[in-house]
Amino acid sequence: MAAKRKPRYSIFSLARNSMSHHQGWEKAWRSPDPKPEYDVVIVGAGGHGLATAYYLAKNHGITNIAVVEKGWLGGGNTGRNTTIIRSNYLQDSSAALFELSRSLFETLSQELNYNIMFSPRGVLMLAQTEHEKRAWQRTHHATRLNNIYTEWADTKRVKEICPIINTDPGARFPVLGGLWQPRGGTARHDAVAWGYARAADDLGVDVIQNCEVLGIDREGGKVTGVQTTRGAIKCGKLGIVVAGNTTRLTDMAGFRMPLESVPLQALVSEPIKPCLDIVVMANTVHGYMSQSDKGELVIGGGTDGYNAYTQRGSFQHVEETVTALVETFPIISRLRMLRQWGGIVDITGDRSPIISKTPVDGVFVNCGWGTGGFKATCGSGHCFAATIAKGEPDAVAAPFSLDRFSEGRMIDESVAAAVAH
Amino acid sequence: MSELDLSLARPILEGVSDTGANGLKLFVQLLRGMVTLRADLSSPSVAAAVKDVTGSDMPDVRKATENVLWMSTDELLLLMPYGEGGAVAAKLGEALAGEHHLAVDVSDARSLFKLEGGAAREVLAKGAPVDLARDKFAVGDLRRTRISHIAAAFWQSGAEPDVFEIICFRSYANYLWEWLEESSREGSMPGIL
Amino acid sequence: MTQPNRLDDGGVLIDRSHKIKFFFDGKPYNGHPGDTLASALLANGVKLVNRSYKYHRPRGIVSSGPEEPNALVNLGSDATHEPNIRMTQIELHDGLDATSQNRFPNLDADIGVLNAAASRLYPAGFYYKTFIHPRHAWKYLFEPVIRRIAGLGKAPTHPDNSQYEHTYAFCDVLIAGGGVAGLVAAKAASEAGARVILAEQTERLGGRLLVDDDAEIDGKPARVWLEETIAALEAMDNVTIRLRTCCSAAYDHNYCLLYERSGDRGEAAQVRHRLWRVRTARVIAATGMIERPIAFHYNDVPGVMLASAVRDYVKLWGVSPGEKTVVYTTNDDGYRTALALHEAGRTVRAILDSRKDPSGPLVEKARAAGLEIRPNTGIGKAKAKRNKLEQIETVNFDKPEAPGKTMYCDCVAMSNGWSPVIHLYSHSGGKALWDEDAVMYRPDPANPPRGKDAEAMVFVAGSANGELTTDAVVAQAAEIASEALSQLGMKTSAVAPSVTAVTETTTVPVWCTPSPGKAGLGGKHFLDYQNDVTVADVALAAREGYESVEHAKRYTTLGMATDQGKLSNINGHAILGKTLGKTMAEVGTTTFRPPFTPISFGSIAGRETGNLFKPVRQTAMHDWHAAHGADWEPVGDWRRPYRYQRGDEDRDTSIHRECLRVRNSVGILDASTLGKIIVKGPDAPKFLDMMYTNMMSSLKPGKCRYGLMNNENGFLMDDGVVVRLDEETFLCHTTSGGADRIHAWFEEWLQTEWFDFKVYVANVTEQYSQIAVAGPKGLELLGSLDSDIDFAAVPFMGMAEGTVEGCPVRAFRISFTGELSYEFAVPVSFGLALWEKLHAKAEALGGGVYGTEAQHILRAEKGFVVIGDETDGTVTAHDVGMSWAVSKKKEDFIGKRAMERSDLTRPDRKQLVGLLTEDPNEVLPDGAHGVENGKAIGHVTSTYFSPTLKRSIAMALINGGRARFGEVIQISTAKKKTIRAVICDPVFYDKKGERQDV
Amino acid sequence: MLLIDCPCCGVSGEETEFAAGGEAHIVRAGPGSSDADFASYLFDRKNPRGVHFERWRHAFGCGKWFHMVRSTQTLEVFGVYKADVTSPPQDILDRVEAARAEGRVK
C-alpha cells in the first residue's frame, strides 16, 4: 500500500495527543514487505541512504524506491558518531560538498517536519603547532574564497569562545589560535535518520529493515536486481550506501574498491551541567569534544591502524584521546567515562569520499566518508540522488568519482594538517 | 695539529636519585662506548669477530651478556669503554671484510640508566607492556619495547637487589629520567611483582 | 544527632564503637566506620536524596550497589569537586561533604518540579515533534533552556591535582568478583598453580554470603567457611586480591581494565586511582546478579526500594530503611527480606506476592513467623506525602479494576527476580540467551567471546551465570573454573565444597502492575528512574514504529542514564515485547559497552599529564640555547631555537639581525635535528637509486649530492644531502621531522620488497650533533680553528674528516643559506664543546648564532624549498621547479610511475613561483590565495620581509605559474582586501649562486 | 587490543608495540604498468570481512616486518610468518581452511 500523508508534528498535535494519553500517534514509518520490483533500490538505511531516497523522491520525482537495510535503520555509523557538522574544508571540491550539506542542515527540521536539533553552536579547530597554525590560516583563506564564513581566532579569542581550554603558553602543545566556524555545530544523529525515514516513507519510499542483501544480479554488465534475505528484488538502478560494508557489496557486484574498513572509537562522559557550548577539535593531539544537550561530553577518538569489522576497537585510542583532552581541558580529569563504542568506517586512498558511477551499469556507490560522514549526510544524499537520477554525477559529485584514483587526481584534505574530517 | 680530547665529552644529563621507595635507586650512567653491528648472526666469522672484540659469546635471542645486547635478528649492540667505539667498529670492519655487514660507532646516540632495588620491576611495569614477574624476566633477559611514549630497551643485570639497565635514544633522556623519577615515588607501587 | 533508623544491633560491616561526622546539603549527620553514605543517610532517616532528570520528581535511595540510579551526589569542592557519585559506593569518612544535585533552590522545593504538572506534554521523544518553528528558536530559545534543565551534577571548575597511576599486569586467570563464586574459582585456580588476580569492586569479600548466611558450606556455617577461605587465599603467593577494584572491561584478546579506587576516602592519598591494564589467559566473571524492580504507578517515590537492598541495609549496616515495610515480590527472595526485617524487630505490613499460591521453605518460614502473605496481589499505586512514601494501594491481578486495600507504610521492598551481570562476557562479543523459566538473560555457552586462538576467553561463574541458590552457585563456580583451567592445561586439586542451602521456587515476573482507574493509562510506572522513562513511553515508542530494541532505547532514552540500564533494561524490553507481541528472545537486547561502571578520565590519563604528556626531544645544546634567549619552534618532537632574543627586542629585530649576520659576517646554527641514516652494502647504490628521484649510484666517494624523495604517489615526501662515505657506504640526511619516518621507509622496502638486496641501514641521527657555519667570514672562522683539516681545500659539495678543537668531526661543504657554508657533524657528547668554541670564534668576528626563522628567510631569499612549506603531499618535484633532480636515465624509482599519470602531468598544475608585492613593505599573509575572477589560482607557501633585500618576498604555488613571470595577480586576504603582486623567479638573491661557491 | 606474536624475535607483545602495515602480498606495479593496474596497486584493497593477510612491523621491538593472518570479523589469529616470502605457508592456509570448514570465518 502506498503511504498516505501523515499528520504534521507540532506543539498542537502534541497537546491534542496528550488528551488521549498519546494513544493516537501514527507510526513514523511503515514496515512494508518488499515489492518484486523497484525503479531504484538503495542498499543501506543509514542517514546517507535515507537522504538519497528522500531527495530522489522529492527532487527527481522517483518514488518507486526501496531502501533495504540488514539491521535497523540508522543503526550503523549514523547512530554511532560524534555528530559534528562543519564545512571549513581546504579543497574547493570538499568545501562545495560539505557546505551544501551544512546549509541543508540549517533548515532540515522544517524540511522534514522533524526536529533534528541542528545546533550551530560553532566549531573551533585548535592550532597547537606552528605548522598547524599555517595550515589553518591557509584553510581560512580558502574557505573565505568559497564563501564559507570562518574566522581566525587568536589565543585570547579562543579563551573567550571556550573558557575551559588550557591556554597556558608553556603547555606541551600550546594553543596558538584556532579556525572558528560559527555556523558549524552538531545535530541529533538518530533524529536525522528518523526524520529522513519518516519523510521518505511519506513520499512513498519503502524502508525495509532486517533485509540483508546476499547477491547482486547482473545481465550484460547491467544490474537487474538484488537477492535478499527477504527474497529477490528487481531494480533498474542500485545505490550502495553502506559505509564500512561497501567492499562486501561491491564484491557481490564484481569490482574492487580503493577502501579499507577500520574501527573508529567514540565515548561519552556522564552528563553534567553545561560547561562546553561549542565543538572543539584538537587534531595535533587527536581529541574532539562537544557537550550534548543531555549534558554528556561527547568525545571522538582515533581509528585502529588495521582492518576490522568488529564494532569495538582498542582501548589505547580511548587512552590517547582522553589523555590529550585532560591536558587540553584540565577540569575534566574528575569526570568519568560512561561508555565507549566503535563504528566501522571506510577509508579511501586520499581519505575523501567516493560518489560515483561504477564499472557495472546502473550500480552507483556512495562511500569512503571515513571519520567524517555524518556532517555530509544531507549533501551526500542530495548529490547522490542527482547522480542516480541522471546517471551522471552532478557538479558537486563529479570531483569525487572513482576515476580520480587512476588519474592521480587526489582530493587530499590532510595536506592542510593531519585533519580528521 | 689538533688532538682528540675525550675530556670534552659530556653525557646529556647526570644524576643519581635515591627515591626511597623500597630503597629504590636510579642512576644516569656515565658515557659508554657502543657499536651497532648488523650482520648474519648465525655466521661463525661474525661470532668470532664479536668474541674477539668483546670477549663475549653470541647472546641468544632477547638476551644480554655483560657487554653484548641482542637487538634484532641481524643486529647487536656492543658495549665498551667510551672512546673505543670507533676502534671497535674499525676492527670489526677488518675482521668481517668481504662479509656483508655494518659496524658503526653509536657511542653517543643513547643514554643509559640504571634502576636498582626491590621495586624496580614495578616501576618498569607502569610504562612497559612486559611481563616482569620474577619467573618471567630474570638476569640476562633483554626486551626492546615502549616505556610510556618512547622506544627503549632494558635488561636485567643483577638480582637481590634487582638491577635493570635501560637505554633510550639520547634526545629522549630527559623525558625518560623524569618519567622514571616520577614513577619511583614512595607509595605509588601497585605491590604485585 | 541520633540515627532513628539504626537498629539496636546487627550490621556486620559497621564499627559502632566509633562515630563519623559527615555533611549532606550542609546538614551534619553521624554514621559509623563501614557505612556507605547511603546506609548512613538511611540510618538518619533521610529519604529524599535527589531529583529526577526530566520531571525533577523527588527520589530516594533504591539499591545498595553500583546499580543505583537515583542517589547521585556532588562530592568535594574546587580541585576535588566531583559530580554524579553514587551514595551506595561512597565509603563514609570524616568530614565527608556531599551535596545533592539537579535541584533548585533545594531538594524539598525544587522549581523544576513544575515540569511534572505538564508532564503529559512530554512523552517519549516529544522534542523530536516540537521546537521546530521558528527556525532560530531552537538554538536561541529552546536548546539553551533544555541544556540548563538537563545534565546532572555541576561541572568542575578547577584542574585536578590528584595522582593517578597505571600499571601493566599479566596473569593466567583474572577473577572479577569476590563473592562466593569468585572465591571458589580463585581457590581452584590457585591450587592448580595458576597466576591469579581477584578483583572485587567493594571493600569487602564475600558478596551476598555476608547477607544470606543461612547456608552450610563443608559442614560449617557460611561465615566460618568464608573466613577460612579468604585466609587460605591470602596465604597463596600466586594469588593477588585487590579490593575497591572493579574489572571494568574485557577487550579483545583478553586485555582487561581494572579500576582501583584506593584513594577515594578523604585522606590525601599518594595514588587516587590506579588503572590496571591486565593481559590474562582467561577471565572468570563472578560478577553476581542485580535484582529487578517492579513497575507500578508512582513506583519511584522515596521509600520504594529493591528488596535485596533493604536486606543489605539491615544485615550489613544495621539499618532499617523503614518502620513499616510492604514487601512486593514475584519470587521467594522477597521473603528473605521480610524475614530479615521481622527478625530485626521491624513491622512487615504485608508480603504481596504475584504468584497464585506461593510455597516453599522460605514462604513457610514467613507464614510460621506470622507474616501476612497476600497471593496474586501487587501494588496498584503508591502515594507520597512531603516527598516520602506514605501509603500504597494493593491490586488483585485477577480484578485490577476493583478497588484495592490501602496500606500505610514508609518503605516498599520490591523484588522482580534477578538479572545476571554478564557485561564482561558481552564486551568482546559474547552472546546472551533468554531463559524463559529462570526469567533472565544468561551467557550463551555456544557463543562466548573468543580469543586470538578462537577459544572461549571469558567464563561466567555462579549467580552471574544465573544460579540462584548457594549450593548451585558453588557447584557451578567450581565446575566452570576447572573447565577454564583445563583449557590452559592446568588441573586443580580443589574439590567443590558441599553446600546445604534453602531451595527456592520459581519467579512469576510482573512487567507492569495494573493500576486502578485512570492511572491505568496515564500512570507513571517508572522503568528507568534516572531518565524518567515509563512503561507508557516504551509502549508509545513501539506504537510509533521504533520497534527495534535500539530504536526504543534511543527514542525513550531507556537504559542510557549513568546506570546504563542495570535496573531498567530487562523490564523495558519486556514491555516492548508485550506491546509488539514478541517474545523476549525476539525483542533481543542492547549491547553492553565498557566500562561496567564509569571510570575517571584522570585514571585513563594516569601520570602522562603535564611534562610527561608527550616527550620533548632535546639536542646537546638545548640548555645553552635556553640560556641565550632562545624561544622555541617545535619540529616533530624536537624543540629548535626559533630565534635568540636580546634584551626585550621584538621577534623581527632579532630575526633580521640573525639574517644579516649570516649575509655579512658569519653565523652558526644548531642543525642537530637533521636526520642521518647510514646505508651500507654492495647493493646500496642500487637501493638509493630507487629511493631518490635523482641518481645516487653515480655519486663519487667523498662527495655530497642534494636528493629528493617521492612517495609511491609521485609526491615529494623528503629531501636532504646524501654523502658517499665510500664505495659501499652512504650517509643520507633527512628533514628534521623525517628521520624516523625515512628510516622506517628504507627498512620497509628492504624487508618487504627488495629483501634480496644486500643492504644494511642504521639510524645515526642521535649519534651526531650537527652545526652549520655560514657566511662570508666562514673561512676566516674555520682558519682560526685548531684543526687538521684544510677547509679552503674542501670543494663545494665536498667533505673532510678530522679533528677540530679536540673534537672528532666530519665537515660537509654544503649550503642552505646561499652563503659559503660548512656543516660539522660531531659526536653528540662533544656537541656542546664544539658549539661553544665555534660560538666564541664567531662572536670574535662580529658574528654569532642564528635560529630557524632566520634560516627560513635566508633559504627563501635563495628560492630553496622546505618540504612541508612549499610542499604539502600533493606537490611533485616538477611543480617546485626541480625537474633537474628527477632522473630521466633511471628505469625506475619510487614514484616514477605515479608521476606519469594524467593529473600529475597537467600543464596547468600549481607551480612554484616568486611573488613581489607592488608595495615592497607589504608582507603577504601566510596561506593567502591568488584570485582570478573569483576563483583561487594558488596559494602563498612562504612569505617574509627580507632584511637582505629590504622588501617583502614570497613563494607561492600558482596554476601554470612558471609561464606567467612578470604578470601581476591579486592576492586576497581574509580581511576582504586584495594585494597586487608580480609573479617572478623564486630565486630572489644571488641567482648565479656565486656566494656559496667561492 | 590485539596480542601479537612476532615471528622474528618471538615476543608475544601488546598491539601498541607494533605498527600495522596493511594488506600483504600486493605486487608492486612500476613503470610500464597500465593506469588501471597502477591505481589498483596503490589503492584497491581486498578489505575482506573475514580472513585478512596483512603486514605488521614490530616497531618498538626488533624492528622487523612480518605477516599475520587474522580474521577481521572475530580477530582470531591463524598465524604469523616472516616478511621475505611472497605467499603464505601451507600450514597457515590449512588452519584457515579448517576454520572456514567449522564456519568460524567467511
Side-chain angles (χ1 to χ4, degrees), chain C residues 236-310:
Chain C
M236 308 283 292
D237 58 13
N238 58 334
V239 180
T240 304
I241 299 175
R242 304 299 281 214
L243 301 177
R244 302 181 174 87
T245 303
C246 179
C247 184
S248 303
Y251 296 101
D252 295 310
H253 294 188
N254 261 352
Y255 182 83
C256 301
L257 290 186
L258 301 186
Y259 177 54
E260 182 177 22
R261 294 166 59 240
S262 47
D264 266 346
R265 278 159 295 153
E267 80 282 7
Q270 253 290 348
V271 180
R272 179 167 182 247
H273 297 160
R274 176 180 288 111
L275 197 64
W276 298 56
R277 299 111 129 197
V278 181
R279 186 68 79 167
T280 180
R282 295 295 181 266
V283 172
I284 294 178
T287 40
M289 289 182 165
I290 293 175
E291 195 169 31
R292 291 188 294 253
I294 311 177
F296 56 86
H297 187 40
Y298 290 141
N299 60 336
D300 68 325
V301 300
V304 177
M305 301 172 68
L306 294 173
S308 58
V310 170

Side-chain angles (χ1 to χ4, degrees), chain C residues 874-910:
Chain C
T874 63
V875 175
T876 70
H878 300 303
D879 297 340
V880 291
M882 289 208 264
S883 304
W884 55 265
V886 181
S887 164
K888 288 170 195 56
K889 290 200 213 78
K890 289 193 291 181
E891 253 169 42
D892 190 7
F893 57 82
I894 300 296
K896 180 178 171 48
R897 173 63 183 85
M899 289 166 95
E900 297 163 356
R901 293 175 300 175
S902 60
D903 198 68
L904 280 73
T905 51
R906 272 190 296 117
D908 60 343
R909 283 183 66 84
K910 289 185 179 182

Side-chain angles (χ1 to χ4, degrees), chain C residues 722-947:
Chain C
V722 176
V723 188
R724 189 165 198 167
L725 299 174
D726 60 45
E727 273 307 321
E728 277 204 353
T729 315
F730 294 78
L731 170 62
C732 303
H733 291 95
T734 76
T735 57
S736 291
D740 296 342
R741 196 176 74 248
I742 299 302
H743 176 239
W745 178 244
F746 283 2
E747 283 289 351
E748 178 175 355
W749 287 101
L750 286 169
Q751 290 183 41
T752 67
E753 186 72 18
W754 300 305
F755 38 79
D756 52 330
F757 282 21
K758 280 183 162 358
V759 177
Y760 283 125
V761 173
N763 185 351
V764 294
T765 303
E766 299 259 21
Q767 168 65 16
Y768 300 102
S769 294
Q770 200 113 332
I771 304 170
V773 177
K777 294 189 180 169
L779 259 185
E780 188 180 346
L781 185 158
L782 300 184
S784 72
L785 293 171
D786 169 19
S787 174
D788 53 5
I789 301 173
D790 174 5
F791 291 100
V794 181
F796 184 54
M797 297 309 266
M799 69 160 288
E801 282 184 272
T803 308
V804 171
E805 298 287 341
C807 307
V809 302
R810 271 200 197 108
F812 312 106
R813 183 154 169 217
I814 53 183
S815 175
F816 196 48
T817 58
E819 297 299 327
L820 171 95
S821 153
Y822 293 76
E823 281 193 17
F824 290 109
V826 57
V828 174
S829 307
F830 290 85
L832 182 58
L834 182 60
W835 174 264
E836 284 173 328
K837 288 253 166 44
L838 292 171
H839 181 251
K841 300 276 187 187
E843 279 201 318
L845 295 167
V849 290
Y850 63 105
T852 54
E853 186 61 4
Q855 166 78 85
H856 272 84
I857 296 176
L858 294 164
R859 64 89 202 181
E861 292 171 343
K862 285 289 299 175
F864 295 149
V865 308
V866 165
I867 299 289
D869 288 2
E870 277 59 47
T871 73
D872 62 10
T874 63
V875 175
T876 70
H878 300 303
D879 297 340
V880 291
M882 289 208 264
S883 304
W884 55 265
V886 181
S887 164
K888 288 170 195 56
K889 290 200 213 78
K890 289 193 291 181
E891 253 169 42
D892 190 7
F893 57 82
I894 300 296
K896 180 178 171 48
R897 173 63 183 85
M899 289 166 95
E900 297 163 356
R901 293 175 300 175
S902 60
D903 198 68
L904 280 73
T905 51
R906 272 190 296 117
D908 60 343
R909 283 183 66 84
K910 289 185 179 182
Q911 294 166 337
L912 187 69
V913 297
L915 289 178
L916 291 173
T917 49
E918 290 191 337
D919 168 0
N921 295 318
E922 179 117 54
V923 179
L924 292 169
D926 221 329
H929 284 56
V931 197
E932 246 163 22
N933 35 50
K935 283 247 134 288
I937 56 166
H939 70 279
V940 173
T941 61
S942 296
T943 169
Y944 307 96
F945 185 86
S946 159

Side-chain angles (χ1 to χ4, degrees), chain B residues 1-5 10 38 101 106 108 125-126 131 146 148-149 170-171 174-175 178 182 188 190, chain C residues 165 168 195 242 274 607-608 611-613 617-618 680 747 761 766-767 786 788 803 806 808 829:
Chain B
M1 268 300 106
S2 157
E3 285 301 315
L4 182 66
D5 177 0
R10 291 260 163 284
R38 294 197 63 178
H101 76 285
V106 290
D108 304 80
K126 290 181 180 191
D131 189 347
R146 253 175 351 99
S148 179
H149 292 286
R170 179 131 169 186
S171 64
N174 283 290
Y175 179 86
E178 197 170 338
E182 275 280 311
S188 72
Chain C
E165 279 279 344
Y168 286 96
R195 242 198 314 178
R242 304 299 281 214
R274 176 180 288 111
R607 278 198 188 271
E608 265 116 54
N611 290 351
L612 293 179
F613 172 48
R617 301 177 70 178
Q618 304 182 351
K680 184 193 177 212
E747 283 289 351
V761 173
E766 299 259 21
Q767 168 65 16
D786 169 19
D788 53 5
T803 308
S829 307

Side-chain angles (χ1 to χ4, degrees), chain C residues 285-461:
Chain C
T287 40
M289 289 182 165
I290 293 175
E291 195 169 31
R292 291 188 294 253
I294 311 177
F296 56 86
H297 187 40
Y298 290 141
N299 60 336
D300 68 325
V301 300
V304 177
M305 301 172 68
L306 294 173
S308 58
V310 170
R311 193 156 83 242
D312 288 345
Y313 288 113
V314 170
K315 294 251 192 161
L316 298 176
W317 294 287
V319 173
S320 170
E323 283 292 335
K324 284 202 196 67
T325 303
V326 170
V327 173
Y328 177 16
T329 186
T330 66
N331 60 73
D332 283 8
D333 195 72
Y335 289 78
R336 293 180 180 276
T337 300
L339 288 161
L341 285 163
H342 181 68
E343 284 155 17
R346 292 293 169 121
T347 310
V348 176
R349 186 66 187 69
I351 302 172
L352 312 182
D353 194 321
S354 65
R355 299 171 295 184
K356 287 208 156 46
D357 47 15
S359 60
L362 284 163
V363 178
E364 295 320 317
K365 206 167 166 205
R367 281 211 179 88
L371 300 178
E372 177 188 357
I373 300 171
R374 289 172 169 249
N376 200 25
T377 306
I379 296 179
K381 66 173 174 202
K383 199 157 164 293
K385 190 171 178 188
R386 279 189 228 85
N387 295 331
K388 288 189 197 112
L389 176 66
E390 188 208 23
Q391 59 177 34
I392 61 105
E393 184 181 330
T394 66
V395 62
N396 180 301
F397 284 97
D398 293 339
K399 331 189 218 40
E401 59 296 330
K405 180 171 176 17
T406 298
M407 296 182 175
Y408 284 82
C409 58
D410 58 354
C411 177
V412 164
M414 58 183 167
S415 174
N416 198 22
W418 299 81
S419 295
V421 176
I422 53 174
H423 295 63
L424 295 177
Y425 196 75
S426 310
H427 283 168
S428 292
K431 301 270 174 293
L433 275 182
W434 179 256
D435 180 332
E436 194 60 47
D437 305 330
V439 200
M440 59 176 65
Y441 272 106
R442 311 176 75 152
D444 174 1
N447 291 295
R450 296 184 184 278
K452 61 184 289 199
D453 54 2
E455 296 289 344
M457 57 183 188
V458 178
F459 293 78
V460 183

Side-chain angles (χ1 to χ4, degrees), chain A residues 87-89 138-148 150:
Chain A
S87 61
N88 50 355
Y89 279 67
R138 178 181 164 194
T139 306
H140 172 48
H141 290 110
T143 55
R144 297 299 290 258
L145 286 174
N146 285 310
N147 299 312
I148 296 166
T150 63

